[in-house]
Amino acid sequence: MSDMKKELLYTGKAKDVYKTENDDEVIIKFRDDITALDGGKKDTLSKKGIYNALISSKLFEILEEQGVSTQYIKLIEQDEMLAKSLEMIPLEVICRNIAAGSLVKKYPFQNKQELNPPIIQFDYKNDEYHDPMLNDSIILALDIVNQETLDKIRDITLTINKVLCDYLKERTLLLVDFKLEFGFDKDGNIVLGDEISPDTTRLWDVETLENFDKDIFRKGESGVVDAYHKVVTLVLTEDEKDKWNVE
Ligand code: 5GP
């Protein structure tokens, strides 16, 4: 456990955010808690926090290498990330390459239908209102962000999608869909925050379409942590696995 952590700033469904001695930096602790169905389904799964921290850190590093600004600074423990402080924007930016989940429940898409160009969707990150889907007019009327910021978020999301699809496909994973959260840094730049992990993405095997993500938990099946572990073994290098003691 890192001794850099000061007071707890915020606690979410699966992560805690701590202050550090530097106001520009926070520590994000990935917990083993898992929730689904609007908080109606909960559990605690040993090692899930570690796996999500390792996967998020790796994917943020890949994105930084491709010029995407992220909150990530470094991993300081297996499940603790040192990150830039951000003023978070209450949007869940969802990008879909293949129709699945709520999209096929709510609209007449075929399950597993390819979506080209990808669909970008904005949900309001608001538990009280159960994360309703937004459009540009509602976002502007609620003064969540201005049009220029929204357009930039769309562009950055498409770049992220391209980088991650390519990276994951080389590692036998299809990026079906994912959810991003952005914030502003102290200079007002738009920065990718939160996490990119099997909790926030749908990841399928390119051949068999077997899923390695939170849908296993949503469906009440076993093997959630094994699936997350599998993703770790696919995305980390051998050196990184050695460094973080991943079997
Ligand atoms: P869907 O709208 O099909 O439920 O989700 C689309 C994608 O966004 C999935 O990869 C899902 O994991 C992610 N997603 C959407 N909303 C949330 C959310 O509130 N929390 C998390 N962790 N992921 C979400």
Side-chain angles (χ1 to χ4, degrees), residues 159-170:
T159 302
I160 291 170
N161 186 40
K162 176 88 183 65
V163 171
L164 293 184
C165 277
D166 290 350
Y167 184 80
L168 292 166
K169 202 163 196 176
E170 278 172 24

PDB file of all heavy atoms in Angstrom, residues 159-170:
ATOM      1  N   THR A 159     -10.067   8.774 -32.326  1.00  0.00           N
ATOM      2  CA  THR A 159      -8.630   8.439 -32.330  1.00  0.00           C
ATOM      3  C   THR A 159      -8.354   7.301 -31.358  1.00  0.00           C
ATOM      4  O   THR A 159      -7.665   6.329 -31.687  1.00  0.00           O
ATOM      5  CB  THR A 159      -7.787   9.685 -31.934  1.00  0.00           C
ATOM      6  OG1 THR A 159      -8.083  10.730 -32.846  1.00  0.00           O
ATOM      7  CG2 THR A 159      -6.298   9.380 -31.935  1.00  0.00           C
ATOM      8  N   ILE A 160      -8.892   7.414 -30.159  1.00  0.00           N
ATOM      9  CA  ILE A 160      -8.703   6.368 -29.142  1.00  0.00           C
ATOM     10  C   ILE A 160      -9.215   5.029 -29.685  1.00  0.00           C
ATOM     11  O   ILE A 160      -8.565   3.986 -29.542  1.00  0.00           O
ATOM     12  CB  ILE A 160      -9.434   6.759 -27.830  1.00  0.00           C
ATOM     13  CG1 ILE A 160      -8.729   7.951 -27.179  1.00  0.00           C
ATOM     14  CG2 ILE A 160      -9.537   5.563 -26.872  1.00  0.00           C
ATOM     15  CD1 ILE A 160      -9.488   8.568 -26.018  1.00  0.00           C
ATOM     16  N   ASN A 161     -10.379   5.064 -30.323  1.00  0.00           N
ATOM     17  CA  ASN A 161     -10.967   3.836 -30.866  1.00  0.00           C
ATOM     18  C   ASN A 161     -10.021   3.176 -31.865  1.00  0.00           C
ATOM     19  O   ASN A 161      -9.784   1.965 -31.809  1.00  0.00           O
ATOM     20  CB  ASN A 161     -12.303   4.171 -31.530  1.00  0.00           C
ATOM     21  CG  ASN A 161     -13.051   2.944 -31.984  1.00  0.00           C
ATOM     22  OD1 ASN A 161     -13.075   1.921 -31.289  1.00  0.00           O
ATOM     23  ND2 ASN A 161     -13.649   3.011 -33.159  1.00  0.00           N
ATOM     24  N   LYS A 162      -9.461   3.991 -32.753  1.00  0.00           N
ATOM     25  CA  LYS A 162      -8.565   3.452 -33.787  1.00  0.00           C
ATOM     26  C   LYS A 162      -7.327   2.826 -33.134  1.00  0.00           C
ATOM     27  O   LYS A 162      -6.938   1.686 -33.451  1.00  0.00           O
ATOM     28  CB  LYS A 162      -8.180   4.605 -34.734  1.00  0.00           C
ATOM     29  CG  LYS A 162      -7.184   4.262 -35.802  1.00  0.00           C
ATOM     30  CD  LYS A 162      -7.898   3.733 -37.045  1.00  0.00           C
ATOM     31  CE  LYS A 162      -6.968   3.295 -38.152  1.00  0.00           C
ATOM     32  NZ  LYS A 162      -6.121   2.155 -37.866  1.00  0.00           N
ATOM     33  N   VAL A 163      -6.711   3.578 -32.208  1.00  0.00           N
ATOM     34  CA  VAL A 163      -5.479   3.094 -31.568  1.00  0.00           C
ATOM     35  C   VAL A 163      -5.750   1.787 -30.808  1.00  0.00           C
ATOM     36  O   VAL A 163      -5.015   0.795 -30.945  1.00  0.00           O
ATOM     37  CB  VAL A 163      -4.912   4.163 -30.593  1.00  0.00           C
ATOM     38  CG1 VAL A 163      -3.763   3.600 -29.758  1.00  0.00           C
ATOM     39  CG2 VAL A 163      -4.461   5.414 -31.356  1.00  0.00           C
ATOM     40  N   LEU A 164      -6.823   1.783 -30.032  1.00  0.00           N
ATOM     41  CA  LEU A 164      -7.092   0.597 -29.204  1.00  0.00           C
ATOM     42  C   LEU A 164      -7.556  -0.604 -30.040  1.00  0.00           C
ATOM     43  O   LEU A 164      -7.162  -1.744 -29.751  1.00  0.00           O
ATOM     44  CB  LEU A 164      -8.135   0.916 -28.131  1.00  0.00           C
ATOM     45  CG  LEU A 164      -7.694   1.905 -27.048  1.00  0.00           C
ATOM     46  CD1 LEU A 164      -8.797   2.054 -25.999  1.00  0.00           C
ATOM     47  CD2 LEU A 164      -6.383   1.489 -26.384  1.00  0.00           C
ATOM     48  N   CYS A 165      -8.373  -0.346 -31.065  1.00  0.00           N
ATOM     49  CA  CYS A 165      -8.808  -1.471 -31.930  1.00  0.00           C
ATOM     50  C   CYS A 165      -7.582  -2.154 -32.516  1.00  0.00           C
ATOM     51  O   CYS A 165      -7.488  -3.389 -32.500  1.00  0.00           O
ATOM     52  CB  CYS A 165      -9.691  -0.980 -33.074  1.00  0.00           C
ATOM     53  SG  CYS A 165     -11.396  -0.765 -32.616  1.00  0.00           S
ATOM     54  N   ASP A 166      -6.644  -1.364 -33.053  1.00  0.00           N
ATOM     55  CA  ASP A 166      -5.453  -1.944 -33.686  1.00  0.00           C
ATOM     56  C   ASP A 166      -4.623  -2.709 -32.662  1.00  0.00           C
ATOM     57  O   ASP A 166      -4.200  -3.851 -32.894  1.00  0.00           O
ATOM     58  CB  ASP A 166      -4.580  -0.829 -34.320  1.00  0.00           C
ATOM     59  CG  ASP A 166      -5.266  -0.233 -35.543  1.00  0.00           C
ATOM     60  OD1 ASP A 166      -6.280  -0.788 -35.985  1.00  0.00           O
ATOM     61  OD2 ASP A 166      -4.779   0.805 -36.040  1.00  0.00           O
ATOM     62  N   TYR A 167      -4.389  -2.068 -31.512  1.00  0.00           N
ATOM     63  CA  TYR A 167      -3.539  -2.687 -30.481  1.00  0.00           C
ATOM     64  C   TYR A 167      -4.148  -4.009 -29.992  1.00  0.00           C
ATOM     65  O   TYR A 167      -3.443  -5.025 -29.871  1.00  0.00           O
ATOM     66  CB  TYR A 167      -3.366  -1.718 -29.301  1.00  0.00           C
ATOM     67  CG  TYR A 167      -2.437  -2.244 -28.244  1.00  0.00           C
ATOM     68  CD1 TYR A 167      -1.053  -2.169 -28.402  1.00  0.00           C
ATOM     69  CD2 TYR A 167      -2.931  -2.848 -27.088  1.00  0.00           C
ATOM     70  CE1 TYR A 167      -0.195  -2.685 -27.450  1.00  0.00           C
ATOM     71  CE2 TYR A 167      -2.076  -3.363 -26.132  1.00  0.00           C
ATOM     72  CZ  TYR A 167      -0.712  -3.276 -26.314  1.00  0.00           C
ATOM     73  OH  TYR A 167       0.132  -3.787 -25.372  1.00  0.00           O
ATOM     74  N   LEU A 168      -5.431  -3.991 -29.745  1.00  0.00           N
ATOM     75  CA  LEU A 168      -6.080  -5.179 -29.177  1.00  0.00           C
ATOM     76  C   LEU A 168      -6.238  -6.287 -30.216  1.00  0.00           C
ATOM     77  O   LEU A 168      -6.098  -7.465 -29.891  1.00  0.00           O
ATOM     78  CB  LEU A 168      -7.428  -4.790 -28.552  1.00  0.00           C
ATOM     79  CG  LEU A 168      -7.291  -3.904 -27.301  1.00  0.00           C
ATOM     80  CD1 LEU A 168      -8.631  -3.283 -26.924  1.00  0.00           C
ATOM     81  CD2 LEU A 168      -6.720  -4.692 -26.112  1.00  0.00           C
ATOM     82  N   LYS A 169      -6.513  -5.894 -31.453  1.00  0.00           N
ATOM     83  CA  LYS A 169      -6.684  -6.904 -32.498  1.00  0.00           C
ATOM     84  C   LYS A 169      -5.396  -7.709 -32.684  1.00  0.00           C
ATOM     85  O   LYS A 169      -5.437  -8.928 -32.872  1.00  0.00           O
ATOM     86  CB  LYS A 169      -7.083  -6.250 -33.817  1.00  0.00           C
ATOM     87  CG  LYS A 169      -7.768  -7.199 -34.752  1.00  0.00           C
ATOM     88  CD  LYS A 169      -8.503  -6.449 -35.838  1.00  0.00           C
ATOM     89  CE  LYS A 169      -9.499  -7.374 -36.515  1.00  0.00           C
ATOM     90  NZ  LYS A 169     -10.289  -6.690 -37.501  1.00  0.00           N
ATOM     91  N   GLU A 170      -4.244  -7.007 -32.606  1.00  0.00           N
ATOM     92  CA  GLU A 170      -2.960  -7.718 -32.701  1.00  0.00           C
ATOM     93  C   GLU A 170      -2.797  -8.718 -31.559  1.00  0.00           C
ATOM     94  O   GLU A 170      -1.959  -9.609 -31.613  1.00  0.00           O
ATOM     95  CB  GLU A 170      -1.797  -6.713 -32.623  1.00  0.00           C
ATOM     96  CG  GLU A 170      -1.499  -6.034 -33.934  1.00  0.00           C
ATOM     97  CD  GLU A 170      -0.477  -4.912 -33.759  1.00  0.00           C
ATOM     98  OE1 GLU A 170       0.313  -4.949 -32.784  1.00  0.00           O
ATOM     99  OE2 GLU A 170      -0.497  -3.998 -34.599  1.00  0.00           O
TER     100      GLU A 170
END
